[in-house]
Amino acid sequence: MTARRSGLIRVAASGVCFGLLGIFARLAYDHGANVAGVVSARAMVVVPLFALLALEGRHGPRRRRETRSALAQLVPMALLSVAATVTYFIAVDRMSPALVTLVIYVYPIVTVVASRLLGWSSLGALA
């Protein structure tokens, strides 16, 4: 399998899993689970998969050196990801999963347009 095809399959699988995440969380809440339980169950599935993907990408000492040098950036990114996940599950506990997902996908567009309307930035092509 080519790297391109493998990447496309992974992106598609990620999209499908994210789309189903709210539905499964809602089902878990309906059957008595709480936010901490759902986040913990998700972590028990995601962390081993992520570790496998991370180990698959290792190729020699150069790759390990790059990973170590990026650690200062990876830790805050991981903490933000955990905060976003917890926030998402709290929102799904209080609102419909469809509405929460819609807000997550629309929020960046609203932010860019509001930033432009307030004069904080200009819209243009990426350089």
Side-chain angles (χ1 to χ4, degrees), residues 36-127:
V38 173
V39 171
S40 299
R42 180 183 182 266
M44 289 186 335
V45 172
V46 170
V47 169
L49 290 175
F50 182 75
L52 285 173
L53 289 174
L55 290 174
E56 178 186 329
R58 278 191 172 183
H59 297 294
R62 178 174 171 242
R63 183 73 169 159
R64 285 189 292 274
R65 195 168 40 251
E66 290 171 359
T67 303
R68 261 187 252 117
S69 67
L71 198 59
Q73 295 169 342
L74 291 174
V75 170
M77 286 171 47
L79 292 174
L80 283 173
S81 176
V82 168
T85 300
V86 171
T87 304
Y88 176 81
F89 284 121
I90 290 171
V92 168
D93 188 29
R94 290 167 172 72
M95 297 185 295
S96 86
L99 178 62
V100 174
T101 303
L102 179 67
V103 169
I104 285 175
Y105 279 117
V106 171
Y107 181 75
I109 297 166
V110 171
T111 303
V112 169
V113 171
S115 176
R116 174 62 186 119
L117 292 175
L118 293 171
W120 296 345
S121 68
S122 61
L123 299 177
L126 295 175

